[in-house]
Amino acid sequence: IYVFGEQPVSTATEASVRQKDFELRPQATPVDILTSSVPGLYTVQHQGGGKADEYLIRGFDADHGTDFAIYVDGIPVNIVNNAHGQGYADLHWLIPEIVDHIDVTKGPYFVQYGDFATAGAVNILTKRRPADSIASILGGSYSLQRYLTILSPPEGTLFQPYVALEAYHERGPFKDPLGYNRYNLFTKFNLFSTANSNLSFLGTFHHSYWNASGEIPSRLTRDPGRVLGRFDTIDPSQGGNTDRNNLNLVYNYTDERQSFNAQAWGFFYNLTQYNNFTFFENDPINGDEIEQRDKRGAGGSYLNYRRNYNAWNIPMETLVGFSSRTDIARVGLFNAVNRRRLSTQQNSQINQTSLAWYAQQEFRPTNWLRAQVGTRLDEFYYSVRNLSPDAAITTTGTSQGFMANPKINLILTPFAAGSWYAIPQFYVNFGSGYHSNDAREVVANPDKAPLARALGGELGLRTKLFNRLELAVNYWYLHLSSELVLDGDTGQFEPAGATRRHGPEVELRYQINDWLTSDLDASYTWGRFV
């Protein structure tokens, strides 16, 4: 027996986007799913698919994930202390066709989300089992090719396993061929399942490699002599390769009063990337190509317990949880020419562990008020050791950081439904969150805070008009104590000053008839350094 309904939400912008909602839209990459599912989120790609996409949301150019947290089945996608930027979130190891639904949140109001969840967070949930096996071939301009196979045995098969395989190739429009190749393997199966509980396993394999034309000075394309065309390159050796392999073990138990979730995850990751941002400015002989190198293993855990009960005739719900994460990484920055290493700028062994404890208490004292009060405690431990005595930067040391973040959500329904509108829900939200800074910056600058606090507030409304038009309106505010800013000449991120952002958002969904739906999202943000 399947029962369908909308789960209660805590903000006007929180949503659970079901697979049916994005199944009707063209989806070739995982970020296509995000941009069609998360109102106000935009993505851009400036190396043809090899690098992680850039995420822009709520006035943040979050670059590759500095202020936007992404999870897949609870596995954190963002990578701390990454060679190409703090919070680097590469989603190209996910196959879109196996996504079941996406939980979307905005703002720092949710105790279960920690690092990087300042502007927002998404948790992408994959299917327990696809209904059918499929095979597909896609082709397009510039030698674009995509091959996909999903093998899903019949229902009742032991462990209910399924396997998805993807191969992708694209030459690209540039005179120096992009040569982007991506290979993905995804598998998931149940180790055991009962009426109340199940234990599932997930495993993935990802490898990709590419060339990149890189940025070029626009003046060279405008000169009468036409030194360069728009699709030319100055340094054709840019590009790189990356691997990510994930393991995930999840146990769930649920009955009519409580639920318990335990998860252990881990991944192995490798990135080698070559960029040349300044061409021949620093080295007129060899050029300014740099190699960014990241090789690591990471692992962590989640424990969550939720219980519904009555106390003093008041319906209540308690959520408590714990999470941990450890990254053991070798991260380096080197001078290079034609992908050959010349000298070392920085080469470090970085070990980082974070622990989090969180709790939330929900009260429903009246039929028109639901209140959530929670807090999250995060502890970080940093260790950095220089591996190259001849490096230009030889950071070594240890540090730690701690932060407590309160969260308060009020959901009010003071008015009954009318003849032309559903029960309107009003939301008042306040929360504190953070993003972590790179461990090398933390150790090298012990006087600066290792965790940048974000304080946010929001007022919102959701309702349904004429039984056809779903409306969500909100106005939000976010103050960030220190923003991570990209240094375009070095490709590195540096903590900068405080910022302030605020603005309105509107979401409209209109059911025109049984088979046709339209939607419109609009947002405007004022943002500035303060």
Side-chain angles (χ1 to χ4, degrees), residues 452-491:
R453 188 184 296 276
L455 291 173
E458 195 163 319
L459 298 173
L461 164 69
R462 293 177 73 103
T463 189
K464 191 170 186 178
L465 308 176
F466 309 108
N467 203 32
R468 286 183 178 273
L469 176 63
E470 295 181 30
L471 170 68
V473 181
N474 75 291
Y475 198 99
W476 61 273
Y477 174 94
L478 187 68
H479 179 277
L480 186 60
S481 64
S482 173
E483 183 156 333
L484 289 169
V485 176
L486 174 68
D487 182 341
D489 289 344
T490 65

mmCIF file of all heavy atoms in Angstrom, residues 452-491:
data_model
loop_
_atom_site.group_PDB
_atom_site.id
_atom_site.type_symbol
_atom_site.label_atom_id
_atom_site.label_comp_id
_atom_site.label_asym_id
_atom_site.label_seq_id
_atom_site.Cartn_x
_atom_site.Cartn_y
_atom_site.Cartn_z
ATOM 1 N N ALA A 452 33.825 30.442 9.671
ATOM 2 C CA ALA A 452 33.180 31.726 9.396
ATOM 3 C C ALA A 452 31.684 31.604 9.679
ATOM 4 O O ALA A 452 30.983 30.828 9.028
ATOM 5 C CB ALA A 452 33.413 32.143 7.947
ATOM 6 N N ARG A 453 31.180 32.373 10.643
ATOM 7 C CA ARG A 453 29.785 32.257 11.058
ATOM 8 C C ARG A 453 28.857 32.981 10.075
ATOM 9 O O ARG A 453 29.171 34.062 9.570
ATOM 10 C CB ARG A 453 29.583 32.834 12.450
ATOM 11 C CG ARG A 453 28.168 32.565 13.007
ATOM 12 C CD ARG A 453 27.966 33.235 14.347
ATOM 13 N NE ARG A 453 28.843 32.727 15.381
ATOM 14 C CZ ARG A 453 28.592 31.646 16.109
ATOM 15 N NH1 ARG A 453 27.481 30.940 15.874
ATOM 16 N NH2 ARG A 453 29.428 31.251 17.048
ATOM 17 N N ALA A 454 27.698 32.385 9.851
ATOM 18 C CA ALA A 454 26.639 32.991 9.048
ATOM 19 C C ALA A 454 25.396 33.123 9.914
ATOM 20 O O ALA A 454 24.956 32.150 10.534
ATOM 21 C CB ALA A 454 26.325 32.136 7.823
ATOM 22 N N LEU A 455 24.831 34.323 9.973
ATOM 23 C CA LEU A 455 23.593 34.582 10.705
ATOM 24 C C LEU A 455 22.505 34.913 9.696
ATOM 25 O O LEU A 455 22.663 35.825 8.871
ATOM 26 C CB LEU A 455 23.769 35.749 11.683
ATOM 27 C CG LEU A 455 24.675 35.491 12.889
ATOM 28 C CD1 LEU A 455 24.897 36.785 13.660
ATOM 29 C CD2 LEU A 455 24.079 34.428 13.800
ATOM 30 N N GLY A 456 21.392 34.167 9.747
ATOM 31 C CA GLY A 456 20.339 34.353 8.759
ATOM 32 C C GLY A 456 18.964 34.412 9.377
ATOM 33 O O GLY A 456 18.706 33.850 10.443
ATOM 34 N N GLY A 457 18.063 35.103 8.705
ATOM 35 C CA GLY A 457 16.669 35.184 9.107
ATOM 36 C C GLY A 457 15.772 35.215 7.887
ATOM 37 O O GLY A 457 16.204 35.588 6.790
ATOM 38 N N GLU A 458 14.502 34.809 8.071
ATOM 39 C CA GLU A 458 13.617 34.671 6.918
ATOM 40 C C GLU A 458 12.162 34.775 7.352
ATOM 41 O O GLU A 458 11.775 34.268 8.412
ATOM 42 C CB GLU A 458 13.885 33.315 6.261
ATOM 43 C CG GLU A 458 13.329 33.157 4.881
ATOM 44 C CD GLU A 458 13.979 31.974 4.160
ATOM 45 O OE1 GLU A 458 15.212 31.793 4.277
ATOM 46 O OE2 GLU A 458 13.240 31.240 3.492
ATOM 47 N N LEU A 459 11.352 35.433 6.527
ATOM 48 C CA LEU A 459 9.897 35.480 6.686
ATOM 49 C C LEU A 459 9.282 34.948 5.409
ATOM 50 O O LEU A 459 9.673 35.358 4.307
ATOM 51 C CB LEU A 459 9.412 36.915 6.942
ATOM 52 C CG LEU A 459 9.910 37.603 8.213
ATOM 53 C CD1 LEU A 459 9.476 39.057 8.219
ATOM 54 C CD2 LEU A 459 9.401 36.884 9.456
ATOM 55 N N GLY A 460 8.298 34.027 5.531
ATOM 56 C CA GLY A 460 7.748 33.434 4.321
ATOM 57 C C GLY A 460 6.294 33.048 4.440
ATOM 58 O O GLY A 460 5.711 33.006 5.531
ATOM 59 N N LEU A 461 5.700 32.746 3.286
ATOM 60 C CA LEU A 461 4.293 32.356 3.173
ATOM 61 C C LEU A 461 4.160 31.314 2.087
ATOM 62 O O LEU A 461 4.758 31.439 1.012
ATOM 63 C CB LEU A 461 3.426 33.576 2.844
ATOM 64 C CG LEU A 461 2.012 33.307 2.313
ATOM 65 C CD1 LEU A 461 1.136 32.724 3.413
ATOM 66 C CD2 LEU A 461 1.384 34.569 1.735
ATOM 67 N N ARG A 462 3.336 30.272 2.364
ATOM 68 C CA ARG A 462 2.980 29.277 1.348
ATOM 69 C C ARG A 462 1.478 29.062 1.392
ATOM 70 O O ARG A 462 0.881 28.973 2.477
ATOM 71 C CB ARG A 462 3.677 27.935 1.611
ATOM 72 C CG ARG A 462 5.166 27.943 1.457
ATOM 73 C CD ARG A 462 5.735 26.583 1.823
ATOM 74 N NE ARG A 462 5.443 25.607 0.786
ATOM 75 C CZ ARG A 462 6.324 25.172 -0.110
ATOM 76 N NH1 ARG A 462 7.561 25.646 -0.101
ATOM 77 N NH2 ARG A 462 5.999 24.282 -1.013
ATOM 78 N N THR A 463 0.872 28.927 0.212
ATOM 79 C CA THR A 463 -0.542 28.609 0.131
ATOM 80 C C THR A 463 -0.854 28.106 -1.272
ATOM 81 O O THR A 463 0.027 28.063 -2.148
ATOM 82 C CB THR A 463 -1.407 29.842 0.466
ATOM 83 O OG1 THR A 463 -2.783 29.442 0.581
ATOM 84 C CG2 THR A 463 -1.286 30.916 -0.608
ATOM 85 N N LYS A 464 -2.124 27.732 -1.468
ATOM 86 C CA LYS A 464 -2.586 27.290 -2.776
ATOM 87 C C LYS A 464 -3.870 28.033 -3.100
ATOM 88 O O LYS A 464 -4.796 28.075 -2.277
ATOM 89 C CB LYS A 464 -2.830 25.783 -2.794
ATOM 90 C CG LYS A 464 -3.047 25.195 -4.181
ATOM 91 C CD LYS A 464 -3.029 23.672 -4.144
ATOM 92 C CE LYS A 464 -3.087 23.081 -5.544
ATOM 93 N NZ LYS A 464 -3.024 21.605 -5.520
ATOM 94 N N LEU A 465 -3.924 28.645 -4.287
ATOM 95 C CA LEU A 465 -5.049 29.477 -4.682
ATOM 96 C C LEU A 465 -5.847 28.795 -5.785
ATOM 97 O O LEU A 465 -5.269 28.225 -6.724
ATOM 98 C CB LEU A 465 -4.551 30.840 -5.170
ATOM 99 C CG LEU A 465 -3.600 31.606 -4.221
ATOM 100 C CD1 LEU A 465 -3.119 32.896 -4.873
ATOM 101 C CD2 LEU A 465 -4.279 31.885 -2.893
ATOM 102 N N PHE A 466 -7.156 28.841 -5.667
ATOM 103 C CA PHE A 466 -8.078 28.319 -6.685
ATOM 104 C C PHE A 466 -7.821 26.838 -6.994
ATOM 105 O O PHE A 466 -8.151 26.362 -8.085
ATOM 106 C CB PHE A 466 -7.980 29.142 -7.977
ATOM 107 C CG PHE A 466 -8.102 30.613 -7.766
ATOM 108 C CD1 PHE A 466 -6.991 31.438 -7.891
ATOM 109 C CD2 PHE A 466 -9.320 31.188 -7.418
ATOM 110 C CE1 PHE A 466 -7.095 32.804 -7.691
ATOM 111 C CE2 PHE A 466 -9.424 32.554 -7.209
ATOM 112 C CZ PHE A 466 -8.318 33.369 -7.349
ATOM 113 N N ASN A 467 -7.203 26.151 -6.047
ATOM 114 C CA ASN A 467 -6.901 24.728 -6.183
ATOM 115 C C ASN A 467 -5.986 24.426 -7.365
ATOM 116 O O ASN A 467 -5.895 23.285 -7.811
ATOM 117 C CB ASN A 467 -8.191 23.912 -6.310
ATOM 118 C CG ASN A 467 -7.983 22.470 -5.899
ATOM 119 O OD1 ASN A 467 -7.160 22.171 -5.020
ATOM 120 N ND2 ASN A 467 -8.695 21.558 -6.545
ATOM 121 N N ARG A 468 -5.310 25.467 -7.889
ATOM 122 C CA ARG A 468 -4.446 25.280 -9.049
ATOM 123 C C ARG A 468 -3.078 25.950 -8.897
ATOM 124 O O ARG A 468 -2.087 25.454 -9.415
ATOM 125 C CB ARG A 468 -5.117 25.815 -10.331
ATOM 126 C CG ARG A 468 -6.237 24.951 -10.855
ATOM 127 C CD ARG A 468 -6.788 25.511 -12.150
ATOM 128 N NE ARG A 468 -7.843 24.650 -12.690
ATOM 129 C CZ ARG A 468 -7.643 23.614 -13.486
ATOM 130 N NH1 ARG A 468 -6.408 23.295 -13.829
ATOM 131 N NH2 ARG A 468 -8.649 22.890 -13.925
ATOM 132 N N LEU A 469 -3.050 27.093 -8.230
ATOM 133 C CA LEU A 469 -1.833 27.893 -8.168
ATOM 134 C C LEU A 469 -1.167 27.739 -6.803
ATOM 135 O O LEU A 469 -1.725 28.156 -5.786
ATOM 136 C CB LEU A 469 -2.157 29.370 -8.436
ATOM 137 C CG LEU A 469 -0.986 30.347 -8.317
ATOM 138 C CD1 LEU A 469 0.086 30.041 -9.359
ATOM 139 C CD2 LEU A 469 -1.470 31.785 -8.438
ATOM 140 N N GLU A 470 0.017 27.133 -6.788
ATOM 141 C CA GLU A 470 0.806 27.035 -5.570
ATOM 142 C C GLU A 470 1.723 28.257 -5.493
ATOM 143 O O GLU A 470 2.452 28.565 -6.443
ATOM 144 C CB GLU A 470 1.629 25.755 -5.564
ATOM 145 C CG GLU A 470 0.780 24.492 -5.528
ATOM 146 C CD GLU A 470 1.629 23.239 -5.494
ATOM 147 O OE1 GLU A 470 2.754 23.314 -4.942
ATOM 148 O OE2 GLU A 470 1.186 22.212 -6.022
ATOM 149 N N LEU A 471 1.700 28.930 -4.353
ATOM 150 C CA LEU A 471 2.435 30.183 -4.183
ATOM 151 C C LEU A 471 3.328 30.089 -2.958
ATOM 152 O O LEU A 471 2.894 29.676 -1.884
ATOM 153 C CB LEU A 471 1.450 31.348 -4.023
ATOM 154 C CG LEU A 471 2.035 32.694 -3.590
ATOM 155 C CD1 LEU A 471 2.920 33.269 -4.691
ATOM 156 C CD2 LEU A 471 0.915 33.670 -3.234
ATOM 157 N N ALA A 472 4.591 30.486 -3.113
ATOM 158 C CA ALA A 472 5.529 30.603 -1.993
ATOM 159 C C ALA A 472 6.263 31.928 -2.139
ATOM 160 O O ALA A 472 6.826 32.219 -3.198
ATOM 161 C CB ALA A 472 6.516 29.446 -1.976
ATOM 162 N N VAL A 473 6.231 32.727 -1.079
ATOM 163 C CA VAL A 473 6.872 34.045 -1.081
ATOM 164 C C VAL A 473 7.702 34.159 0.190
ATOM 165 O O VAL A 473 7.264 33.735 1.271
ATOM 166 C CB VAL A 473 5.831 35.179 -1.130
ATOM 167 C CG1 VAL A 473 6.514 36.536 -1.168
ATOM 168 C CG2 VAL A 473 4.904 35.017 -2.322
ATOM 169 N N ASN A 474 8.900 34.723 0.075
ATOM 170 C CA ASN A 474 9.705 34.917 1.281
ATOM 171 C C ASN A 474 10.678 36.079 1.091
ATOM 172 O O ASN A 474 10.970 36.493 -0.041
ATOM 173 C CB ASN A 474 10.471 33.651 1.647
ATOM 174 C CG ASN A 474 11.661 33.406 0.742
ATOM 175 O OD1 ASN A 474 11.492 33.105 -0.438
ATOM 176 N ND2 ASN A 474 12.858 33.526 1.273
ATOM 177 N N TYR A 475 11.141 36.612 2.222
ATOM 178 C CA TYR A 475 12.194 37.624 2.220
ATOM 179 C C TYR A 475 13.244 37.157 3.228
ATOM 180 O O TYR A 475 12.913 36.819 4.366
ATOM 181 C CB TYR A 475 11.660 38.998 2.626
ATOM 182 C CG TYR A 475 12.587 40.125 2.223
ATOM 183 C CD1 TYR A 475 12.342 40.860 1.067
ATOM 184 C CD2 TYR A 475 13.731 40.440 2.964
ATOM 185 C CE1 TYR A 475 13.190 41.877 0.667
ATOM 186 C CE2 TYR A 475 14.589 41.438 2.569
ATOM 187 C CZ TYR A 475 14.315 42.160 1.418
ATOM 188 O OH TYR A 475 15.173 43.168 1.015
ATOM 189 N N TRP A 476 14.510 37.123 2.816
ATOM 190 C CA TRP A 476 15.568 36.545 3.635
ATOM 191 C C TRP A 476 16.709 37.535 3.813
ATOM 192 O O TRP A 476 16.874 38.482 3.039
ATOM 193 C CB TRP A 476 16.082 35.246 3.011
ATOM 194 C CG TRP A 476 16.661 35.452 1.639
ATOM 195 C CD1 TRP A 476 15.988 35.451 0.456
ATOM 196 C CD2 TRP A 476 18.033 35.724 1.331
ATOM 197 N NE1 TRP A 476 16.850 35.708 -0.588
ATOM 198 C CE2 TRP A 476 18.104 35.879 -0.084
ATOM 199 C CE3 TRP A 476 19.188 35.849 2.080
ATOM 200 C CZ2 TRP A 476 19.310 36.148 -0.730
ATOM 201 C CZ3 TRP A 476 20.387 36.130 1.427
ATOM 202 C CH2 TRP A 476 20.435 36.266 0.039
ATOM 203 N N TYR A 477 17.519 37.264 4.850
ATOM 204 C CA TYR A 477 18.678 38.092 5.168
ATOM 205 C C TYR A 477 19.791 37.172 5.664
ATOM 206 O O TYR A 477 19.537 36.222 6.419
ATOM 207 C CB TYR A 477 18.327 39.112 6.254
ATOM 208 C CG TYR A 477 19.505 39.929 6.755
ATOM 209 C CD1 TYR A 477 19.800 41.171 6.202
ATOM 210 C CD2 TYR A 477 20.318 39.446 7.778
ATOM 211 C CE1 TYR A 477 20.884 41.915 6.660
ATOM 212 C CE2 TYR A 477 21.398 40.184 8.236
ATOM 213 C CZ TYR A 477 21.678 41.416 7.675
ATOM 214 O OH TYR A 477 22.752 42.142 8.125
ATOM 215 N N LEU A 478 21.031 37.438 5.234
ATOM 216 C CA LEU A 478 22.153 36.603 5.661
ATOM 217 C C LEU A 478 23.396 37.469 5.825
ATOM 218 O O LEU A 478 23.780 38.213 4.909
ATOM 219 C CB LEU A 478 22.428 35.489 4.646
ATOM 220 C CG LEU A 478 23.462 34.444 5.054
ATOM 221 C CD1 LEU A 478 22.938 33.600 6.207
ATOM 222 C CD2 LEU A 478 23.818 33.543 3.878
ATOM 223 N N HIS A 479 24.020 37.365 6.992
ATOM 224 C CA HIS A 479 25.277 38.050 7.272
ATOM 225 C C HIS A 479 26.363 36.994 7.464
ATOM 226 O O HIS A 479 26.218 36.079 8.277
ATOM 227 C CB HIS A 479 25.155 38.907 8.533
ATOM 228 C CG HIS A 479 26.428 39.629 8.881
ATOM 229 N ND1 HIS A 479 27.450 39.034 9.585
ATOM 230 C CD2 HIS A 479 26.848 40.893 8.603
ATOM 231 C CE1 HIS A 479 28.438 39.900 9.738
ATOM 232 N NE2 HIS A 479 28.100 41.032 9.155
ATOM 233 N N LEU A 480 27.447 37.126 6.693
ATOM 234 C CA LEU A 480 28.550 36.167 6.750
ATOM 235 C C LEU A 480 29.786 36.893 7.266
ATOM 236 O O LEU A 480 30.172 37.935 6.729
ATOM 237 C CB LEU A 480 28.812 35.573 5.367
ATOM 238 C CG LEU A 480 29.828 34.441 5.242
ATOM 239 C CD1 LEU A 480 29.418 33.248 6.082
ATOM 240 C CD2 LEU A 480 29.999 34.028 3.797
ATOM 241 N N SER A 481 30.401 36.350 8.316
ATOM 242 C CA SER A 481 31.508 37.065 8.965
ATOM 243 C C SER A 481 32.764 37.125 8.111
ATOM 244 O O SER A 481 33.579 38.035 8.266
ATOM 245 C CB SER A 481 31.839 36.401 10.307
ATOM 246 O OG SER A 481 32.300 35.072 10.106
ATOM 247 N N SER A 482 32.944 36.177 7.196
ATOM 248 C CA SER A 482 34.120 36.178 6.328
ATOM 249 C C SER A 482 33.802 35.365 5.091
ATOM 250 O O SER A 482 33.391 34.212 5.189
ATOM 251 C CB SER A 482 35.330 35.577 7.053
ATOM 252 O OG SER A 482 36.418 35.426 6.170
ATOM 253 N N GLU A 483 33.992 35.972 3.929
ATOM 254 C CA GLU A 483 33.679 35.275 2.684
ATOM 255 C C GLU A 483 34.955 34.793 2.017
ATOM 256 O O GLU A 483 35.982 35.468 2.030
ATOM 257 C CB GLU A 483 32.910 36.206 1.737
ATOM 258 C CG GLU A 483 32.488 35.514 0.457
ATOM 259 C CD GLU A 483 31.290 36.188 -0.192
ATOM 260 O OE1 GLU A 483 30.507 36.812 0.530
ATOM 261 O OE2 GLU A 483 31.147 36.085 -1.412
ATOM 262 N N LEU A 484 34.887 33.613 1.417
ATOM 263 C CA LEU A 484 36.009 33.084 0.657
ATOM 264 C C LEU A 484 35.978 33.674 -0.749
ATOM 265 O O LEU A 484 34.978 33.573 -1.453
ATOM 266 C CB LEU A 484 35.945 31.555 0.592
ATOM 267 C CG LEU A 484 36.245 30.831 1.908
ATOM 268 C CD1 LEU A 484 35.892 29.363 1.798
ATOM 269 C CD2 LEU A 484 37.696 31.004 2.298
ATOM 270 N N VAL A 485 37.082 34.287 -1.164
ATOM 271 C CA VAL A 485 37.154 34.983 -2.443
ATOM 272 C C VAL A 485 38.274 34.379 -3.274
ATOM 273 O O VAL A 485 39.378 34.136 -2.770
ATOM 274 C CB VAL A 485 37.392 36.494 -2.226
ATOM 275 C CG1 VAL A 485 37.572 37.198 -3.558
ATOM 276 C CG2 VAL A 485 36.224 37.103 -1.473
ATOM 277 N N LEU A 486 37.997 34.152 -4.541
ATOM 278 C CA LEU A 486 38.974 33.573 -5.460
ATOM 279 C C LEU A 486 39.985 34.624 -5.897
ATOM 280 O O LEU A 486 39.623 35.715 -6.336
ATOM 281 C CB LEU A 486 38.261 32.998 -6.685
ATOM 282 C CG LEU A 486 39.164 32.487 -7.811
ATOM 283 C CD1 LEU A 486 39.914 31.245 -7.362
ATOM 284 C CD2 LEU A 486 38.360 32.204 -9.067
ATOM 285 N N ASP A 487 41.270 34.287 -5.789
ATOM 286 C CA ASP A 487 42.334 35.086 -6.382
ATOM 287 C C ASP A 487 42.541 34.559 -7.796
ATOM 288 O O ASP A 487 43.109 33.482 -7.988
ATOM 289 C CB ASP A 487 43.612 34.958 -5.550
ATOM 290 C CG ASP A 487 44.750 35.806 -6.106
ATOM 291 O OD1 ASP A 487 44.679 36.195 -7.286
ATOM 292 O OD2 ASP A 487 45.716 36.078 -5.368
ATOM 293 N N GLY A 488 42.081 35.313 -8.784
ATOM 294 C CA GLY A 488 42.102 34.834 -10.157
ATOM 295 C C GLY A 488 43.494 34.609 -10.713
ATOM 296 O O GLY A 488 43.676 33.847 -11.666
ATOM 297 N N ASP A 489 44.523 35.265 -10.150
ATOM 298 C CA ASP A 489 45.877 35.097 -10.653
ATOM 299 C C ASP A 489 46.533 33.814 -10.171
ATOM 300 O O ASP A 489 47.427 33.276 -10.819
ATOM 301 C CB ASP A 489 46.753 36.288 -10.250
ATOM 302 C CG ASP A 489 46.374 37.550 -11.028
ATOM 303 O OD1 ASP A 489 45.671 37.410 -12.050
ATOM 304 O OD2 ASP A 489 46.773 38.641 -10.615
ATOM 305 N N THR A 490 46.106 33.325 -9.015
ATOM 306 C CA THR A 490 46.725 32.114 -8.461
ATOM 307 C C THR A 490 45.782 30.924 -8.444
ATOM 308 O O THR A 490 46.217 29.793 -8.255
ATOM 309 C CB THR A 490 47.208 32.370 -7.018
ATOM 310 O OG1 THR A 490 46.065 32.620 -6.183
ATOM 311 C CG2 THR A 490 48.149 33.562 -6.965
ATOM 312 N N GLY A 491 44.480 31.167 -8.601
ATOM 313 C CA GLY A 491 43.513 30.085 -8.528
ATOM 314 C C GLY A 491 43.265 29.607 -7.116
ATOM 315 O O GLY A 491 42.678 28.546 -6.908
#
